[in-house]
Structure formats: structure tokens, C-alpha cells
Amino acid sequence: MGKIKKKDGKKSDKLTVEAAEDAGSKLSPVSVTPSEEHAPPSIKDGDDEPVTQEEPPVLVPASELYEEPILAQLIVEKYEGELVNGLYEGEGVAYYKDGNIYRGLFSEGLMHGKGMYTWADGLIYEGEFFMNFPMGDGVYTWPDGSRYEGQVYKAIRHGTGVHLSIDQQVSYVGEWCMGKRHGKGTIYYNAEGTSWYEGEWIHNRKEGWGVQRFPSGNIYEGQWKADRFHGEGRMRWLSSNEEYLGQWENGIQNGLGTHTWFLKRVSGSQYSLRNEYIGIFVNGSRHGQGQYYYANGAMYDGQWKNNKKHGTGKFIFKNGRIYIGEFVEDQIAEYPNFKYDRVNTPDLSGIRTQSPICGERSTPNSGIPSLLGSYIELDIASLLNTFPEDERYEEQKQVEYGILRNLTTLRKAYKLYSSLGNENCFDNAFLMTKLQFWRFLKDCKFHHHDLTLCDMDRLLADNSDPEEIHSPYATMLIRTFLTNVIYLAHHIARADSPDKKLSLVDCFSRMMTQNISPHAGTIKGHLFSDAQKTEHTMSYIDKCWDIYKTYCRRNTSAPYEPTMTMRHFIWMMRDLKVLNNVLSVTKIVDIMAEDNPRVRDGNEINVELELTFLEFLEALIGCAVVYVTDELLQESGRELQEEQGPNTATDGSASADSTNTRPGLSSPRKSGSWTEEKELIITMKMNERSSPRLRFHPQRKPQKRIVTDRWYRQVDVFFQKVFFPAYDKVEQLKEEIPRNRVRQAEQARLQQIQEEEEARLKALRAEEEAKRMEQMELEKAAAMLEAAQVSDEQAEDSGQDPAIAKEEAPVPPSTASTKATPATGRKKKK
């Protein structure tokens, strides 16, 4: 009774239940430290500094590994507790021979329920037991202070749990499988949480998709294999302002990729100081076919060998001249002393290069040398063609003088508006988008001259794709910006004074004096007036753009591009059932009239004005502030509180303690979730360059983040709880319509088939009934004929006249009786 026997009946010094078989399932504290950054073959160009890569942290086992906590089946030296039928039952304490102690619940002589098992060496398990197995939720605590809290299966970490290292510096939060990190999980390499990995694990190794942040701040996001970068991935060296996006193999760049060297833009320059290589890498070096784009505009396209230009290639200098030939050891083979770097290009005298073809214009528009330089050369050929040929040179020269006089103001305006919503640009290179250009035009009151922004887009379209004329993601350099200003100034001045003959410089100077100089920089509107609000609203811009395109209608006149009017906007809000007593049609008109004087003309309202995406988005933001009342905010706060649990404040703001706690250290968190802090870091530091759409703003999913400012909460509630769900519901219904039509058509087809089948069966039944009646008639006729024959026979037998016998003989009631009579008669006669 005082013993717990093993299955084989032998006594042992260990009370075990079943143990895991493989050595990898050992439950042990692990010391995990980031490795030193290693440097593969340096990637350099000219005088570039070598680029270093970081390896992912290597998991190093601690010097002392604890064996899996095996529960011994050994003799109980002493037991304190209840007994039922001679077995341990209920709460009790068991003291074992080797010094182990169990305190907790027993059932039928087995450890079962809540309990704490303490080994003689100090290891403690406290949690749930099942039939002598530590199984369920529990906590392991080692003598050195390391700790595991989570799910346990047969004494092994299995399920979801949190593991803390000896010094509490390293922690793992996520999924386990048979004692190993397996599934989705996050490991922190320091107490501050600044170095971490979050992603997929297979048998204690990073494998699959994951994000690693190193102590230096560098970030890798992509595929892993056996704790190394392997597959597609992006590495950002924030300390050296570099990025590699492409293929990796065993932690080294191998295959097709793009390596970019970012440099802070020099103030006043109009291009990004950015060097970029796009091509093949072999063992971390540029090797094979590739293109190198220099910050000064030069470009090399050709063969590489060990990071050097080697083989046949084409070099385009920043002035447009081209050299095609052989390169040896990073030098032009014919001119080995020719030196160039990524920013400066020396004199080309003496080097044979391709020049522009004879007769080709030296400028892209008029053939007249530009006073502004090539980097802001104006493209106003179509305007100059409206003047007599002998006046064109003077017109261009005078308008360029006008630009030079106001170039400082225009550059400041370009820099200011191109930075709106893009304050976190990695290399400080701001390229103006159409969305920012619209804001510039509205702030400078260009739309006060009987022109909508859509009209201005058409004036500047220049044979563009109709689908892209009103795209907010289209970009423009400063020379395009200046050209657009001149075109609009010319059109507006000619429209205001049709009888006067105005030169280009007069039109431009009037626009500078009346519109640009007094108003540029005074940013208005709901979107860009506040930088923090802009950043917050940018998370919704992509879906809003998709909704805008959905409700646009194609213009009936050239260039037939899809646009939206105020009337369409109001219809959209009605179809989405967003209108109510608070947000009425009149209120929507008031919101749109705040920044457009043409909406109201006395008592008349013009709802046929076209809306660009900027006006559409700002109207939505204005509607959000009106629609979301205090009652709706309180209701949303209660829902948020229910989602986050009882520890959340009633006003929707998080407590100070919860915001300063590292996620996952106090309790196991749901696998696969991303902390807001890391998402923000990744979003801010990994801004895309390749796509203008991605480059316009940090790509970030709309987050359900907790904010205390009323405006932010109103915007979040409107977009996340009202506008987007309503649109998704309508789109879902639209998708259901063709399915319903197909379903109804199928049902109609089946109904028709069923009706045809029923008609066929009915016809068959009628045919069968007719045949049956005909058969009955035939049988009746046959019976009557047979009766007549029998009657004749009987008359002959009796010597009677058959005619008289027929008259006297009764008609037989049935065939059976008719047949029986003659038989009986014959027997009697015999």
C-alpha cells in the first residue's frame, strides 16, 4: 500500500511514467545569445565602404543541461493524507526514497489533479497531473532560476508556453512540440526587447518565414532554413543605410537580388542620392550580369566578377554619353587610368563615347539651350508652338528668367509638399506625388478659376493612360512640377483675359504673385494639415483608393477616364447606408463646400463638380468627424474593453503597466500575433522603394490601436466599424448576385426538367390506362363470344333449335360461370 509499482513489478529508484524517446525532447534551460556579426565578401564599388551582414543568433546550449524531469516509481517512504480502500485518495503528501516530494491531489493511488512535485536537486513542477503524468498547464522552475510556464504533455513542453532563461534576459513565447520550439513563436534576446526573432520554428531552428531584429537595429525579414537566411528575403542595415532584397543561400546573398546604398539627400538636390545594383550575386559578391545605377545618374549594364566590372558592358555617363566595350578589373580596358566613382564623373575628353546622333535636338522640347540646366529643364514645346517661330526663343528665355527669380520659393514649395505624409522617408529623398500636387493646387487656390482638379489633370495629361490620369500615386520631378505650373498659369491667364495677348512670363508672374507666393505653405484640408493625423490616416489610403475606383463612372467625353462627382459620392454614402440624422446630405455638402467655393452659389448647390481622390478622402475624414458621436465612441469603447478583457480602462485607453510590459512574458500569448511595437519598427524602417505606391507612404495595415485623442478614435471607428464593413457587405452582395442568378437559372432548369418529366409520366400513365381499357373491352367481347358458343353447344346437345336456346339462355354474369355450365351439363349427360 505504501508503494507504487512499475508495470514489470520490479522496484526502482525512480518513479517514472513514460519518457520521451529522443534526446531532443529534453526539458532544459537554454542560453540563447546573438552571435557576432560576420562579414562575407565585401560588396563595394569604387571607394564604397564594405558592407557587412549579420548572421541570425545561434542557439548555444548552457553548460549544464537538466534531464527531462522523470517522475520516479519508487518506494514511498512516508505518506501523509487520506486513504480509500487502501489507496491514496484526495489531498496528501508523498515522500519518496530518493528525496523527491509530491504535494497535491491523488486518485486511486495515482498523482492526479493539481499538485507540486519537487526533485531532490531542486527542480520543481507545479501544475496539473494526469494518471501520474505531468500533463496540462504547469510551471517548471529550475534551481538556477530559469522557468517554463505553459502546456505540458507527459512531462515534456508541448503546446503553447513561455520559457525564461537563467538571467531572465532571453525569453521564448510560442509553440512547442515534444520539448522543442516548433510552430510560431517569438524569442527575445535581451530584457529590453530590442533584439528579437518572430516567425516560424521547426525543431528548435528558425525555418520558414520570420523577422529578426538584431542588437544593432538591423532587420531581416524573409525565409529561413536551419537558422540562416535562405530563400527570398530583405535585409536592412540601418546602421549603414543599406538594403538587400532578393535571394539568399545559407545566410549569404546568392541569386538574383537588388542591393541599395542609401545616402542622405543633399539639401537642394533634386534626385535621390542612392546607388543601386540589380543583378546576380554569387556568395555575397556581384558576379554575372547586372546593372549598377549611380546616384549622379550614371549607369553601368554589363558583366561583373567578384564585385568588379569585368567583361563586356555599357556605361552611360551622367551627361548622356555612352561607352560600350570591355572592362577589366573595374576599369575601361582601353583607358586603364580612367577613374570614376558613384557621385563624380571626370572629364570625358580623349575617351571614345557615343554622342547624340547628328541632327538630334540637344533638349527634349524645342532645341533651344536651357538656362536652368538639364536637371530642371522645362518641357513647354507645345506652348512655344502657339507663338510665332521668331518669338519662341525670347519666350522661353523670359519664362526661364521668371523661374530663376522665383526658384527658391518654388523649391521650398516642392520640398514641403513632397514631404507631406512621407516624413519617415529612409534616405530623405522626397518625390512629389499627384496627391501632394493636388494639395498644393488647392492651397494656392488654383481651383478658384473655374477649374476643378480633374480639369487640371486633363490639361496636364499629355497622352497618359486614361486609367492613370487621376492616380494619386503618380510622381513628378521638380522640372515636371515647374512645367505643370507654367501650363496651368498660361491656361488660367488666357481664360481670365481672352482678349489680351499675354506672354508666358506674364502668365507665370501673375500666378506667382496672386496665388503661389501668398498661399503656398499654408496647408489646409483634413488630410495634410497635421503630420500625426496624416500618418494615422495613411493606413486607410489604399482601401479608400480601391473604393474610389469602384464608384467612379467613366467620363462620356475624351479622354473617357473614370471620375466621380459629388452626386456620385452622395449616392455612394446612401448605398452604403452611412447617411443618418447626424450625417445628412446637407451636412455632406457643407463638408465639401469648406474647401471649394464653387459648391454653393447663393442658394444654389452644384453637385456635378468632379472629385479627385484627395477631395474624396478628405470628404470621408470630414464625414467621420461628424458621424462618430460621443455615444458611438462610448459603445465602441465598451466593445474594445470586452475584446481586451477586464483590465482595459473603460475609456478605451490602455493602462500604463500594460504598455510597458514585454508581450508574452507574464502569460502565453496567442501564436502568430505581432506586437504593435515591432510592427511599427518594421513598417517605419522598411519603406519600399521599388513601387511608387509603396514608396508614397509606409505600408501599414489599419491597426486597432488604442488612442486617447478623440479625432483619432473617430477616424478609426468610422473606417473600421462603419465605412469599410458597409462597403465589404455591399461588395459581398454584388458577388452574390451573379451566384444567385446562376442558382436561379439552375433551379429554373431543374424545374423545367421536372415538369417535362412529370408531363412524360402523365402521358405514359394515360397511354397505359387507354391500353388497359382497350384490353378490358377485348376481354369482355371474348367472354360474350365464348358464352354464345357454349349456348350453341348446349342447344345442340338437347336437340333444341340453337336460335331458341339463345333466346332462352340467360347471359352469364362472368366468364367463370359461363365456363362452368357446359362442363356440368356434359357430366350429367354422361
Side-chain angles (χ1 to χ4, degrees), residues 77-92:
E77 293 184 338
K78 180 181 178 182
Y79 173 76
E80 299 174 355
E82 302 176 2
L83 296 175
V84 176
N85 297 328
L87 299 175
Y88 307 151
E89 190 72 28
E91 190 171 355

PDB file of all heavy atoms in Angstrom, residues 77-92:
ATOM      1  N   GLU A  77       8.383   6.287   1.101  1.00  0.00           N
ATOM      2  CA  GLU A  77       8.814   6.080   2.476  1.00  0.00           C
ATOM      3  C   GLU A  77       7.792   6.583   3.480  1.00  0.00           C
ATOM      4  O   GLU A  77       7.638   6.023   4.577  1.00  0.00           O
ATOM      5  CB  GLU A  77      10.154   6.793   2.711  1.00  0.00           C
ATOM      6  CG  GLU A  77      11.308   6.174   1.924  1.00  0.00           C
ATOM      7  CD  GLU A  77      12.629   6.833   2.261  1.00  0.00           C
ATOM      8  OE1 GLU A  77      12.595   7.998   2.754  1.00  0.00           O
ATOM      9  OE2 GLU A  77      13.684   6.217   2.032  1.00  0.00           O
ATOM     10  N   LYS A  78       7.071   7.641   3.087  1.00  0.00           N
ATOM     11  CA  LYS A  78       6.124   8.233   4.039  1.00  0.00           C
ATOM     12  C   LYS A  78       5.001   8.901   3.260  1.00  0.00           C
ATOM     13  O   LYS A  78       5.229   9.485   2.211  1.00  0.00           O
ATOM     14  CB  LYS A  78       6.854   9.259   4.908  1.00  0.00           C
ATOM     15  CG  LYS A  78       5.967   9.936   5.941  1.00  0.00           C
ATOM     16  CD  LYS A  78       6.768  10.956   6.733  1.00  0.00           C
ATOM     17  CE  LYS A  78       5.885  11.689   7.743  1.00  0.00           C
ATOM     18  NZ  LYS A  78       6.654  12.714   8.496  1.00  0.00           N
ATOM     19  N   TYR A  79       3.795   8.739   3.764  1.00  0.00           N
ATOM     20  CA  TYR A  79       2.643   9.369   3.129  1.00  0.00           C
ATOM     21  C   TYR A  79       1.774  10.029   4.187  1.00  0.00           C
ATOM     22  O   TYR A  79       1.508   9.432   5.240  1.00  0.00           O
ATOM     23  CB  TYR A  79       1.803   8.340   2.367  1.00  0.00           C
ATOM     24  CG  TYR A  79       0.507   8.919   1.825  1.00  0.00           C
ATOM     25  CD1 TYR A  79       0.511   9.734   0.714  1.00  0.00           C
ATOM     26  CD2 TYR A  79      -0.705   8.685   2.471  1.00  0.00           C
ATOM     27  CE1 TYR A  79      -0.665  10.291   0.218  1.00  0.00           C
ATOM     28  CE2 TYR A  79      -1.890   9.237   1.991  1.00  0.00           C
ATOM     29  CZ  TYR A  79      -1.860  10.039   0.879  1.00  0.00           C
ATOM     30  OH  TYR A  79      -3.024  10.597   0.404  1.00  0.00           O
ATOM     31  N   GLU A  80       1.386  11.229   3.915  1.00  0.00           N
ATOM     32  CA  GLU A  80       0.505  11.960   4.822  1.00  0.00           C
ATOM     33  C   GLU A  80      -0.733  12.359   4.037  1.00  0.00           C
ATOM     34  O   GLU A  80      -0.641  13.146   3.097  1.00  0.00           O
ATOM     35  CB  GLU A  80       1.198  13.204   5.375  1.00  0.00           C
ATOM     36  CG  GLU A  80       2.446  12.906   6.180  1.00  0.00           C
ATOM     37  CD  GLU A  80       3.183  14.177   6.589  1.00  0.00           C
ATOM     38  OE1 GLU A  80       2.738  15.276   6.149  1.00  0.00           O
ATOM     39  OE2 GLU A  80       4.188  14.084   7.307  1.00  0.00           O
ATOM     40  N   GLY A  81      -1.868  11.805   4.371  1.00  0.00           N
ATOM     41  CA  GLY A  81      -3.091  12.154   3.667  1.00  0.00           C
ATOM     42  C   GLY A  81      -4.146  11.096   3.823  1.00  0.00           C
ATOM     43  O   GLY A  81      -4.059  10.192   4.683  1.00  0.00           O
ATOM     44  N   GLU A  82      -5.148  11.149   3.004  1.00  0.00           N
ATOM     45  CA  GLU A  82      -6.312  10.283   3.104  1.00  0.00           C
ATOM     46  C   GLU A  82      -6.075   8.989   2.323  1.00  0.00           C
ATOM     47  O   GLU A  82      -5.339   8.958   1.341  1.00  0.00           O
ATOM     48  CB  GLU A  82      -7.555  10.993   2.558  1.00  0.00           C
ATOM     49  CG  GLU A  82      -7.865  12.296   3.280  1.00  0.00           C
ATOM     50  CD  GLU A  82      -9.045  13.022   2.644  1.00  0.00           C
ATOM     51  OE1 GLU A  82      -9.612  12.465   1.677  1.00  0.00           O
ATOM     52  OE2 GLU A  82      -9.377  14.118   3.104  1.00  0.00           O
ATOM     53  N   LEU A  83      -6.739   7.920   2.768  1.00  0.00           N
ATOM     54  CA  LEU A  83      -6.705   6.628   2.113  1.00  0.00           C
ATOM     55  C   LEU A  83      -8.137   6.156   1.903  1.00  0.00           C
ATOM     56  O   LEU A  83      -8.985   6.296   2.778  1.00  0.00           O
ATOM     57  CB  LEU A  83      -5.945   5.587   2.947  1.00  0.00           C
ATOM     58  CG  LEU A  83      -4.444   5.843   3.180  1.00  0.00           C
ATOM     59  CD1 LEU A  83      -3.873   4.805   4.121  1.00  0.00           C
ATOM     60  CD2 LEU A  83      -3.702   5.815   1.860  1.00  0.00           C
ATOM     61  N   VAL A  84      -8.403   5.585   0.737  1.00  0.00           N
ATOM     62  CA  VAL A  84      -9.706   4.996   0.428  1.00  0.00           C
ATOM     63  C   VAL A  84      -9.451   3.618  -0.166  1.00  0.00           C
ATOM     64  O   VAL A  84      -8.790   3.502  -1.203  1.00  0.00           O
ATOM     65  CB  VAL A  84     -10.512   5.869  -0.553  1.00  0.00           C
ATOM     66  CG1 VAL A  84     -11.813   5.163  -0.931  1.00  0.00           C
ATOM     67  CG2 VAL A  84     -10.798   7.225   0.058  1.00  0.00           C
ATOM     68  N   ASN A  85      -9.948   2.590   0.514  1.00  0.00           N
ATOM     69  CA  ASN A  85      -9.734   1.199   0.095  1.00  0.00           C
ATOM     70  C   ASN A  85      -8.255   0.884  -0.050  1.00  0.00           C
ATOM     71  O   ASN A  85      -7.816   0.190  -0.971  1.00  0.00           O
ATOM     72  CB  ASN A  85     -10.448   0.920  -1.231  1.00  0.00           C
ATOM     73  CG  ASN A  85     -11.949   1.061  -1.128  1.00  0.00           C
ATOM     74  OD1 ASN A  85     -12.533   0.782  -0.058  1.00  0.00           O
ATOM     75  ND2 ASN A  85     -12.593   1.502  -2.210  1.00  0.00           N
ATOM     76  N   GLY A  86      -7.471   1.456   0.848  1.00  0.00           N
ATOM     77  CA  GLY A  86      -6.047   1.182   0.848  1.00  0.00           C
ATOM     78  C   GLY A  86      -5.244   1.951  -0.185  1.00  0.00           C
ATOM     79  O   GLY A  86      -4.045   1.726  -0.331  1.00  0.00           O
ATOM     80  N   LEU A  87      -5.876   2.870  -0.937  1.00  0.00           N
ATOM     81  CA  LEU A  87      -5.179   3.658  -1.952  1.00  0.00           C
ATOM     82  C   LEU A  87      -5.201   5.129  -1.575  1.00  0.00           C
ATOM     83  O   LEU A  87      -6.125   5.607  -0.928  1.00  0.00           O
ATOM     84  CB  LEU A  87      -5.854   3.477  -3.321  1.00  0.00           C
ATOM     85  CG  LEU A  87      -5.871   2.054  -3.888  1.00  0.00           C
ATOM     86  CD1 LEU A  87      -6.670   2.022  -5.170  1.00  0.00           C
ATOM     87  CD2 LEU A  87      -4.454   1.547  -4.137  1.00  0.00           C
ATOM     88  N   TYR A  88      -4.131   5.840  -2.046  1.00  0.00           N
ATOM     89  CA  TYR A  88      -4.070   7.273  -1.788  1.00  0.00           C
ATOM     90  C   TYR A  88      -5.234   7.950  -2.495  1.00  0.00           C
ATOM     91  O   TYR A  88      -5.486   7.718  -3.682  1.00  0.00           O
ATOM     92  CB  TYR A  88      -2.763   7.880  -2.289  1.00  0.00           C
ATOM     93  CG  TYR A  88      -1.513   7.179  -1.793  1.00  0.00           C
ATOM     94  CD1 TYR A  88      -0.350   7.172  -2.558  1.00  0.00           C
ATOM     95  CD2 TYR A  88      -1.502   6.544  -0.548  1.00  0.00           C
ATOM     96  CE1 TYR A  88       0.792   6.556  -2.117  1.00  0.00           C
ATOM     97  CE2 TYR A  88      -0.354   5.902  -0.093  1.00  0.00           C
ATOM     98  CZ  TYR A  88       0.792   5.908  -0.888  1.00  0.00           C
ATOM     99  OH  TYR A  88       1.908   5.279  -0.444  1.00  0.00           O
ATOM    100  N   GLU A  89      -5.926   8.815  -1.787  1.00  0.00           N
ATOM    101  CA  GLU A  89      -7.091   9.485  -2.368  1.00  0.00           C
ATOM    102  C   GLU A  89      -7.223  10.856  -1.740  1.00  0.00           C
ATOM    103  O   GLU A  89      -7.055  11.019  -0.524  1.00  0.00           O
ATOM    104  CB  GLU A  89      -8.353   8.680  -2.123  1.00  0.00           C
ATOM    105  CG  GLU A  89      -9.574   9.176  -2.880  1.00  0.00           C
ATOM    106  CD  GLU A  89      -9.503   8.881  -4.362  1.00  0.00           C
ATOM    107  OE1 GLU A  89      -8.843   7.883  -4.746  1.00  0.00           O
ATOM    108  OE2 GLU A  89     -10.087   9.647  -5.148  1.00  0.00           O
ATOM    109  N   GLY A  90      -7.520  11.848  -2.592  1.00  0.00           N
ATOM    110  CA  GLY A  90      -7.685  13.204  -2.100  1.00  0.00           C
ATOM    111  C   GLY A  90      -6.349  13.912  -1.971  1.00  0.00           C
ATOM    112  O   GLY A  90      -5.367  13.605  -2.661  1.00  0.00           O
ATOM    113  N   GLU A  91      -6.282  14.859  -1.084  1.00  0.00           N
ATOM    114  CA  GLU A  91      -5.064  15.664  -0.914  1.00  0.00           C
ATOM    115  C   GLU A  91      -4.110  14.976   0.027  1.00  0.00           C
ATOM    116  O   GLU A  91      -4.504  14.448   1.075  1.00  0.00           O
ATOM    117  CB  GLU A  91      -5.431  17.042  -0.388  1.00  0.00           C
ATOM    118  CG  GLU A  91      -4.279  18.027  -0.401  1.00  0.00           C
ATOM    119  CD  GLU A  91      -4.716  19.445  -0.090  1.00  0.00           C
ATOM    120  OE1 GLU A  91      -5.938  19.664   0.049  1.00  0.00           O
ATOM    121  OE2 GLU A  91      -3.828  20.319   0.012  1.00  0.00           O
ATOM    122  N   GLY A  92      -2.828  14.969  -0.338  1.00  0.00           N
ATOM    123  CA  GLY A  92      -1.842  14.329   0.509  1.00  0.00           C
ATOM    124  C   GLY A  92      -0.435  14.706   0.116  1.00  0.00           C
ATOM    125  O   GLY A  92      -0.208  15.440  -0.857  1.00  0.00           O
TER     126      GLY A  92
END
